[in-house]
Structures are given as structure tokens and as C-alpha cells.
Amino acid sequence: MKVCIIGTGYVGLVTGVCFSDLGNNVICVDNNKTKINDLSAGKIPIYEPGLDELVKKNCRSGRLKFSTDLSKTVKNSNIIFICVGTPNKKNSYSADLNQIFSVVRNIVKNLNKFKVIITKSTVPVSTGDKIEKLISQRKNKKLFSVVSNPEFLREGEAIRDFMFPDRIIVGTDSSRANTILKNLYDPLIKRGGKYLRTSRRSAELIKYASNAFLATKITYINEISNLCEKVGVNVEDVSIGMGLDQRIGSRFLRAGPGYGGSCFPKDTRALLNTAKKYKTSLSIISSTIRSNDKRHTILFDKVKRILKGKISKKKITFLGVTFKPNTDDMRESPALKLIPKLHKLGANIHYFDPSGIKSEFKKLKNVNFENKISLACKKTDLIILHTEWNEFRNLNFKKIVNKKNFSVYDLRNIYSLKKMKDNKISYFRI
Ligand SMILES: NC(=O)c1ccc[n+]([C@@H]2O[C@H](COP(=O)([O-])OP(=O)(O)OC[C@H]3O[C@@H](n4cnc5c(N)ncnc54)[C@H](O)[C@@H]3O)[C@@H](O)[C@H]2O)c1
């Protein structure tokens, strides 16, 4: 199969690499020349465990190539995956589909033989219909089929998620396109991935409904944790107790700083926007968004209480700033709200993140990246464990801080209450 992947970001790159590893000839296209030059030279633009090795292996085999030439690649392929970004429009909840339609217009020009055109990007329900309409205004319907095949991988575990998916959702009413996709995914189906064929609109909505559900689950336990704090209950006991019920399940039921990342915030908003368009109330999702947007104020108030109202000139250390471990993705990370707020009040912020320095904080004078955990923590007043990278799980805080009075605020509840108490460390958590 000749596969073309358009958009070589987190989803496109992982999809392209994995399909090539499964024996297909894949060309990944992007309009970002630097990215394509780097990839062609074996330099991986994102942090994703295992990706580096897999890219190199498949480039060596000749099955994986990178290009900026969309026209040529489209002409030579029979399967085209669209994996470009679908962020929210500026100051709006609706999905910005400019990247999608710019790519589609380019595909139309190069439609020389039958191609399956697949949106793997997360797109609002009925986007496939609009793509189909646009193409059919210029080309014979026999030349193409538009399919929705949303992606469910998680950054940080993307390769495993892609190679061993819970489900593969394919939205199409075309038997021809369905057969092609079923063949492409056959190795993953044989490994136990459930292949579900639906209507194109259903597939589009399954993705949004899934993300909004998971965002709601996280927000639910976060709100329960607010109550736990008031009534002296350990939220960890509550989430473990709840999660043991198989109807509920333990995943995405851990209290923390609120959901972030490149998907949940934008997708919950876009789903709400779709509901508004169709005059339907999604009040649960609306509450989820409101609650999550407010979460940083609760954490901020707690920081103020820990530091007894004195934030100015205090050294505050952030361990981890990405929205979750094993990724360098900063999009909508809770740290992007917390750090500027503390910085504004005069705190000296020092942060360490295993994925490196972040351009998002470049303009903030007193926000400094340290390349060692010990440097970030040295003589600090408060350590905020923001992201649960494994590197942070077994730290000797007394030794690395090397100062009498300091506190630890654990936003992921990874440390042992007992150990912290035994070590007489002023320890706070969710
Ligand atoms: N990141 C995730 O964990 C994840 C998971 C599931 C689904 N998704 C969805 O997948 C889509 C892509 O997400 P992402 O995180 O990979 O985005 P990304 O921003 O990392 O990558 C998008 C890529 O598309 C490229 N691009 C934009 N316009 C282009 C054009 N006209 N021609 C060629 N390349 C172009 C950009 O340069 C960029 O490299 C989104 O719809 C997202 O919601 C993301």
C-alpha cells in the first residue's frame, strides 16, 4: 500500500512510522521545511518514547520517507491520511478547519486515480460531508472516498497505543474504502484491536464524545477532591475505592491540577460549539470546561496559604511543566496558568523538565530553566510537583534543597504521606 500522511506532528509522525513498520510504503508530508529537513536527517522534532529508534529503523529500510512536496506525494499514493492541526479559532470555541481545507484543496488538484482520503485529525461532525462536497464539485465521485478514522493515541504512549489499539473506528459507507482500511489495519486487528465500521458522522462524533467523557471524569474526581479537602478525606482512597467498580474503572480518575494538552481543552470546547450550532444543550460538558478553567485558582490559593500569603521574592521550584509525563507538549498545560500568575506576584520560579527548556516562559524574567533537578530545588521555599515524570518519584528533598524550611506541594499525589511525615517535610497534596 502507498500511504501518504499529511501533517507530520504528534499524530501524523506516529501514524506514518507505525504504518511503515507494518510493511507499508509511507511518505510523511509537512509544509514545515525545517521539520522535514530534520526528520530526513534523522532528527526527531518531538519527544515521544521509542519514536527515534522506529523512525531510524524504517528510514533505513526505505519504507519511510519525508517530503514537503504534497502534490507529488498525493499523486503517487492511494491512501491519504490528513493529520494536520484542528485548534480552536482565536477567541472562539469552534474548531479552526483552515489547515484541513487547505490540504483538501491541494488534494483535489492532484486526484489522478482512485484514492481514499481519511481524516485522522479530530474534526467536528459533518466535516467529512463538507470535504466530500468540495471535492465532488471538481472531480468525479468515482475517483475518491472520504473516510473518518479518528485517532485515540496518547502522547507519551503513542506508539504502544497505535500498535495495540483498543479500537479502530472507521466511518464510511463505501465498501471499497472499508476493505482498503481493513486490510491496512489487519495486523492490528489480528493483535486484538477491535475494528468498528460506522457512519462517517458517527466516527467523527465518537472521537469528541470520548475525549469529553474522559475530561469530565478527570474533572469529576478533581471536584470530589475539593470536597475531600474540606471533610478530611484522602481523595486517593476515594478514587481507588470508586475505580474498583468495573462500571467506573480507575483510569482517568486521579485528582490533579486539571486536564490540559492538545486535545481535551480544544475538543470539549469544539463539541460544545457543535451542540450550540444544533441547538442542543450539553450542560455536563459545559460544567466540565468551567470547572477545569477555574482549577488553577484553587491551586493558586493553596500555594498562597502554604507560603502564608508571601509570594514575592520566594523561590518556587516546578518539577515538570508539561501537561503530562513523557511528552514535550506544553499546549494548555496547567503550568502555563500557574507560573505566570506566581511570577506576576514576584516569585522567583526555577523549573526542571526532562523534556527541556520551554519557549513559553522565555519572556518571563524570573522564570528560569535548570538543567538539573538539584539546581532547581537548591535552597527553594516551595517545590511544586507539577508533572509526574519517573525522575521525580524518589528524591531526597532534604538533601537536594539543603535548607531548613521548605514545603512540597504535590499536584499528582505521588509521594508517600507517611515518608514525608517521618522526614518532617512540610508536605501538601491534592
Ligand atoms: N496530539 C495528540 O495526542 C492527538 C491525539 C489524537 C488526535 N489528535 C488530533 O490529530 C490532529 C493533529 O494533532 P497533532 O497534535 O499531531 O498536531 P501538530 O500540531 O503536532 O501537527 C500538525 C502538523 O501539520 C502540519 N501542517 C499544517 N498545515 C499543513 C499543510 N497545509 N500541509 C502539510 N502539513 C501541514 C504542521 O506543520 C504540523 O507539523 C488534531 O486534529 C488533533 O486534535 C491529536
Side-chain angles (χ1 to χ4, degrees), residues 109-311:
K109 289 186 208 151
N110 298 290
L111 209 53
N112 53 348
K113 57 182 179 209
F114 180 78
K115 297 179 197 304
V116 189
I117 300 161
I118 305 141
T119 48
K120 197 167 251 316
S121 297
T122 304
V123 291
V125 62
S126 84
T127 302
D129 302 357
K130 288 178 190 138
I131 296 175
E132 185 175 289
K133 194 171 162 204
L134 193 154
I135 304 178
S136 55
Q137 280 163 356
R138 281 155 225 185
K139 297 280 171 172
N140 191 316
K141 275 195 171 177
K142 285 187 186 146
L143 270 182
F144 69 97
S145 185
V146 177
V147 174
S148 165
N149 169 222
E151 183 49 56
F152 298 96
L153 62 78
R154 293 161 298 170
E155 286 173 19
E157 300 178 63
I159 290 167
R160 200 206 68 88
D161 282 351
F162 193 93
M163 290 298 209
F164 299 92
D166 289 340
R167 81 288 213 197
I168 299 148
I169 305 286
V170 171
T172 178
D173 56 11
S174 151
S175 306
R176 186 176 180 187
N178 183 53
T179 306
I180 291 173
L181 276 166
K182 212 167 182 179
N183 278 336
L184 184 67
Y185 277 113
D186 189 56
L188 307 186
I189 299 167
K190 288 207 172 99
R191 285 176 188 168
K194 294 254 178 336
Y195 185 93
L196 180 68
R197 179 180 171 187
T198 65
S199 74
R200 193 167 55 207
R201 285 186 172 211
S202 304
E204 290 167 338
L205 194 53
I206 285 168
K207 174 64 189 175
Y208 279 101
S210 302
N211 273 3
F213 184 84
L214 293 173
T216 301
K217 202 172 170 190
I218 293 172
T219 307
Y220 180 85
I221 197 68
N222 282 341
E223 288 205 347
I224 293 292
S225 81
N226 296 342
L227 178 63
C228 287
E229 223 165 289
K230 294 273 162 64
V231 295
V233 164
N234 185 348
V235 68
E236 291 301 304
D237 290 344
V238 177
S239 57
I240 292 168
M242 281 177 69
L244 286 171
D245 182 332
Q246 285 185 18
R247 292 169 303 176
I248 298 174
S250 58
R251 293 164 80 192
F252 288 78
L253 203 64
R254 298 286 310 278
Y259 63 78
S262 65
C263 292
F264 290 180
K266 79 168 175 68
D267 292 347
T268 43
R269 289 183 208 125
L271 182 56
L272 211 58
N273 188 68
T274 303
K276 200 170 145 200
K277 198 168 135 197
Y278 290 93
K279 297 190 171 48
T280 303
S281 160
L282 290 181
S283 62
I284 294 175
I285 297 164
S286 174
S287 302
T288 294
I289 295 171
R290 247 195 336 271
S291 177
N292 195 65
D293 282 350
K294 266 195 339 222
R295 182 116 190 104
H296 70 283
T297 61
I298 293 172
L299 308 179
F300 177 74
D301 288 345
K302 179 96 172 229
V303 171
K304 266 202 318 211
R305 283 201 301 280
I306 295 171
L307 291 174
K308 304 194 171 56
K310 289 179 197 138
I311 288 175

Side-chain angles (χ1 to χ4, degrees), residues 1-5 11-28 50-66 81 159 162-163 184-185 187-188 191:
M1 301 259 191
K2 282 191 176 164
V3 180
C4 158
I5 308 278
V11 166
L13 184 54
V14 171
T15 302
V17 171
C18 291
F19 277 138
S20 67
D21 204 54
L22 295 170
N24 302 287
N25 287 315
V26 178
I27 302 185
C28 292
L51 192 60
D52 199 341
E53 297 80 352
L54 216 56
V55 169
K56 285 184 181 138
K57 176 186 156 203
N58 286 287
C59 283
R60 269 198 309 271
S61 76
R63 282 194 304 268
L64 179 65
K65 295 198 171 91
F66 299 98
F81 280 96
I159 290 167
F162 193 93
M163 290 298 209
L184 184 67
Y185 277 113
L188 307 186
R191 285 176 188 168

Side-chain angles (χ1 to χ4, degrees), residues 6-12 29-32 35 70 83-86 99 102-103 120-122 151-155 207 262-263 266-267 329 331:
I6 307 176
T8 311
Y10 288 86
V11 166
V29 181
D30 206 286
N31 59 0
N32 181 333
K35 198 178 254 191
L70 193 137
C83 303
V84 294
T86 50
Q99 294 181 35
S102 143
V103 163
K120 197 167 251 316
S121 297
T122 304
E151 183 49 56
F152 298 96
L153 62 78
R154 293 161 298 170
E155 286 173 19
K207 174 64 189 175
S262 65
C263 292
K266 79 168 175 68
D267 292 347
D329 201 341
R331 287 177 281 188

Side-chain angles (χ1 to χ4, degrees), residues 34-43 55 59 65-67:
T34 317
K35 198 178 254 191
I36 292 301
N37 286 344
D38 282 354
L39 280 161
S40 303
K43 230 165 99 187
V55 169
C59 283
K65 295 198 171 91
F66 299 98
S67 171

Side-chain angles (χ1 to χ4, degrees), residues 374-391:
S374 55
L375 286 177
C377 293
K378 195 176 167 189
K379 307 275 184 216
T380 195
D381 295 295
L382 172 64
I383 293 168
I384 298 181
L385 185 283
H386 177 274
T387 317
E388 70 278 36
W389 291 84
N390 280 338
E391 285 86 336

